[in-house]
Amino acid sequence: MKNWLFILVLGASTMLFAKDKPYESFIKNLKSHLGHYELVKGDKRCNGDQLVLFNDKDIKEGFRIGHDIYFSSISDSSASEEQSGDCSVNTKYSYTASSISLRTEISRCPASLKKEEAVSTKVFRIKDGRIYYSVKENGFSCEYKKVANKEGK
């Protein structure tokens, strides 16, 4: 009886720990959706093009769709803070299996640079074969659908 209980607990804990973290799940999902996309709707600054990695060998360098929408230096750690000149810059990544959210906050600037303080939240989401990108603070958004390439993919 003790051996059976031990095996049951060991098997359950292995299944629990084998599950991908949200970051890893997102990266797998992102890689499976690389390719050509066209704009379905959005701002004129949204341009359809390829969803590509900056570096196929190092996903942490980031990815882009088109030329103006990108996530660079992505990280599996949740947050970082650095001093940029006279202001503090905080970045926080959040992941689900289908999305990445990047919140950047510029704060603690001296009085002469208070107007530089800002918050930006970018969201990139993959859903039903489409890509959705938005910037929360200004309402900027784009929706893309995948276009078959020469191989029919």
Side-chain angles (χ1 to χ4, degrees), residues 65-133:
I65 185 163
H67 297 286
D68 299 320
I69 297 174
Y70 60 90
F71 283 76
S72 60
S73 303
I74 63 174
S75 172
D76 56 355
S77 64
S78 62
S80 68
E81 180 176 353
E82 52 187 74
Q83 202 66 25
S84 177
D86 294 320
C87 301
S88 178
V89 179
N90 293 299
T91 57
K92 181 179 181 190
Y93 290 93
S94 301
Y95 298 92
T96 69
S98 62
S99 69
I100 178 175
S101 175
L102 172 60
R103 183 176 190 273
T104 305
E105 179 179 6
I106 301 171
S107 62
R108 292 181 266 169
C109 297
S112 63
L113 295 173
K114 278 291 183 194
K115 65 181 179 184
E116 301 298 322
E117 292 184 351
V119 174
S120 174
T121 308
K122 301 186 328 181
V123 179
F124 180 94
R125 184 170 46 111
I126 302 166
K127 183 178 178 187
D128 299 328
R130 293 190 178 219
I131 292 176
Y132 301 86
Y133 172 80

